[in-house]
Amino acid sequence: MSAPARPMERSWAPTAERLARSAATTAGAHVPTAGVPAWLEEHRRSGGTVVRRIPFAELAHWSFDADTGNLRHSSGRFFTVEGLDVRRPGAQWQQPIIVQPEIGILGILAKEFDGVLHFLMQAKMEPGNPNLVQLSPTVQATRSNYTKAHGGTAVKYLEHFLDPRRESVLTDVLQSEHGAWFYRKRNRNMIVEVDGDVPDDDAFRWLTLGQIHELLRLDNVVNMDARTVLASAPSVPAGTRALSSDAGLMTWFTGERARHDVHARRMPLGEVAGWRRDAYSLDRADGRFFRVVAVSVEGAGREVAGWTQPILEPVERGVVGFAYREFGGVPHVLAHARVEGGFLDTVELAPTVQCAPSNYAALPAGERPPFLDALLNAFPERVRYSTVHSEEGGRFLDAESRYLVVETDEATTPTQPPPGYHWVTPGQLNWLAGHSRYVNVQARTLLAILGTVTGGR
């Protein structure tokens, strides 16, 4: 993949400047920020949704294939749980993985009120969310959802994203999702501006970007899909000097992709080594990483009132964090060229640390993820951001990570980092996030808040 071109500032700057003005506006034209969590809680209570674990045998329309052991829906739609065999020099493993080849839409409507862009955000229930209802994009739907493969009702406001006028599109990019849990999964991330009236709905609210940034400081309020869409939007170029030029950054990153020899192939789930299945769970014999379980969802208040489905459950809360330093007064974060078996292009730029610590607790210090201890043991005054966010609630159950931005120093994170790591400015990261398969979903969550943490992008 060639390096993404820097857009012409005449076409890029107006959108970025309008977004920056929205980010600076913390008093919206419609609803106070402080009232949003209560509004979400009201929808959770009124929805009456109950999510309970069930044995695999109680899954409706889902079953393990007699020949492959793959877990699939009788319609052939939605997704499958299959096996993945990953081989690279010095490492190989097998695991279950979610295969969902269809491209969904994650779309946010934008509209000016009093000269400031506001974004139409949804109070959406997802069964895997720890608190069920979180702030979501206007539209968050797979192709199976919006073509009504489930036999449900229409997706509200979908028409704005299926065939938008080019001049109304503020951002539109295919982005990857969790490469450790999805096989080559992508979604279309869009922000589309509207001029006319938009029908009111109690499950939706118009918020400025500044209000959303304040909500990103609260645990489990803004969902993953909203975070990735907002991170894909352009920011105003800072005009500051980075440690590495854009060309130098791309040379390093292309070299990282070239040097990693990764072979990942789908395989029958029933043949995955080191995993065991009982009536309620498919998990590793050593209990690490994650398990596949089944849930029943009742009283959902969505396109379909109730359903059953398989879902992936991590064994513990993760830690995801950027090390942060300033060089010549310019903010930088330490990015990691991370290999994940489900990536289409071998590696993507990830946060400095991205792991579940207990998976490495038994290993000697030299084999633990680099920089993990520097972030976990930082003095409180060096922690610039610390918030718990849940991952995609439609496929992952109680999948939470503590997201961190931690100020470090030369002793813990040197100017010349080890192979696989590179200092980048938030602006460079934003530039790459405007294109497909460069910045992973965890790094995009942190990118959504970096401007508020570092004082600029």
Side-chain angles (χ1 to χ4, degrees):
M1 182 184 295
S2 60
R6 281 282 189 184
M8 294 177 61
E9 289 196 14
R10 282 177 297 178
S11 60
W12 183 255
T15 294
E17 289 168 359
R18 295 171 71 208
L19 290 166
R21 186 161 58 249
S22 181
T25 304
T26 56
H30 293 267
V31 60
T33 309
V36 173
W39 170 65
L40 294 172
E41 176 62 17
E42 176 187 341
H43 276 270
R44 186 193 68 79
R45 290 197 311 267
S46 63
T49 304
V50 176
V51 178
R52 60 184 179 88
R53 296 170 186 265
I54 58 173
F56 291 124
E58 291 185 15
L59 284 169
H61 307 295
W62 292 86
S63 62
F64 291 96
D65 183 83
D67 295 325
T68 64
N70 293 345
L71 186 51
R72 57 184 177 83
H73 194 266
S74 58
S75 68
R77 306 290 295 275
F78 303 106
F79 63 94
T80 57
V81 182
E82 304 180 17
L84 187 71
D85 179 87
V86 184
R87 298 172 187 267
R88 52 185 299 208
Q92 65 179 75
W93 69 91
Q94 295 180 347
Q95 64 169 91
I97 199 153
I98 297 172
V99 178
Q100 188 174 342
E102 61 185 30
I103 294 174
I105 293 176
L106 306 178
I108 298 178
L109 280 184
K111 184 178 178 180
E112 277 198 0
F113 296 94
D114 300 329
V116 176
L117 279 175
H118 287 60
F119 301 88
L120 189 60
M121 309 301 290
Q122 179 182 181
K124 186 176 181 67
M125 191 289 300
E126 293 181 282
N129 288 340
N131 52 355
L132 289 180
V133 178
Q134 295 187 14
L135 198 66
S136 309
T138 317
V139 166
Q140 179 182 317
T142 65
R143 187 178 298 273
S144 292
N145 289 147
Y146 66 75
T147 57
K148 304 182 185 179
H150 48 42
T153 60
V155 176
K156 293 174 181 176
Y157 308 114
L158 176 66
E159 66 277 8
H160 295 283
F161 302 94
L162 291 181
D163 188 24
R165 293 179 296 109
R166 290 183 61 183
E167 60 271 20
S168 70
V169 178
L170 304 186
T171 187
D172 189 357
V173 59
L174 288 178
Q175 296 286 22
S176 63
E177 296 209 10
H178 298 76
W181 298 337
F182 277 119
Y183 182 74
R184 300 183 176 181
K185 177 74 173 73
R186 295 173 297 162
N187 275 322
R188 189 177 181 185
N189 289 225
M190 307 176 71
I191 301 177
V192 175
E193 187 174 4
V194 291
D195 296 325
D197 292 337
V198 176
D200 291 335
D201 189 293
D202 186 57
F204 296 79
R205 291 288 187 272
W206 292 101
L207 300 170
T208 68
L209 192 52
Q211 289 180 286
I212 298 170
H213 283 163
E214 290 190 344
L215 294 167
L216 279 164
R217 293 276 181 177
L218 305 178
D219 291 349
N220 287 323
V221 169
V222 182
N223 85 344
M224 186 213 78
D225 299 290
R227 301 190 307 260
T228 178
V229 174
L230 296 171
S232 302
S235 66
V236 177
T240 52
R241 186 171 181 82
L243 271 182
S244 178
S245 67
D246 291 350
L249 170 60
M250 286 310 306
T251 296
W252 168 79
F253 186 56
T254 302
E256 288 296 311
R257 280 187 165 167
R259 80 177 177 89
H260 287 286
D261 187 16
V262 181
H263 298 274
R265 66 173 183 88
R266 291 155 65 180
M267 63 177 293
L269 180 61
E271 297 177 11
V272 172
W275 291 72
R276 61 191 180 184
R277 190 179 99 203
D278 60 23
Y280 283 86
S281 176
L282 171 64
D283 59 8
R284 280 176 58 107
D286 60 10
R288 298 169 70 198
F289 299 109
F290 66 89
R291 60 183 71 91
V292 180
V293 298
V295 295
S296 169
V297 185
E298 301 164 4
R302 289 190 10 175
E303 296 88 3
V304 174
W307 68 90
T308 63
Q309 67 169 89
I311 197 164
L312 187 152
E313 182 184 34
V315 298
E316 72 158 339
R317 178 182 290 176
V319 173
V320 177
F322 268 132
Y324 164 80
R325 290 183 64 186
E326 292 187 3
F327 297 96
V330 179
H332 286 70
V333 292
L334 187 58
H336 178 207
R338 180 181 174 87
V339 173
E340 294 186 6
F343 283 155
L344 184 61
D345 278 322
T346 310
V347 304
E348 294 188 10
L349 286 181
T352 318
V353 169
Q354 177 186 318
C355 70
S358 70
N359 290 327
Y360 306 93
L363 298 179
E367 297 181 28
R368 286 164 60 80
F371 310 112
L372 173 61
D373 293 330
L375 266 61
L376 291 181
N377 300 329
F379 291 114
E381 61 269 20
R382 284 181 168 257
V383 179
R384 292 190 166 222
Y385 181 81
S386 177
T387 304
V388 174
H389 293 299
S390 53
E391 308 303 332
E392 206 274 302
R395 299 291 176 264
F396 311 134
L397 180 64
D398 294 334
E400 295 179 306
S401 293
R402 170 135 332 250
Y403 279 83
L404 300 165
V405 177
V406 176
E407 189 173 357
T408 56
D409 53 29
E410 185 69 21
T412 53
T413 53
T415 307
Q416 296 295 327
Y421 293 83
H422 202 83
W423 289 104
V424 301
T425 67
Q428 288 176 318
L429 202 63
N430 175 258
W431 162 52
L432 292 176
H435 302 80
S436 300
R437 305 196 302 276
Y438 281 93
V439 181
N440 82 348
V441 68
Q442 288 89 347
R444 295 197 303 272
T445 280
L446 288 170
L447 178 59
I449 57 88
L450 272 180
T452 67
V453 171
T454 65
R457 300 180 84 174

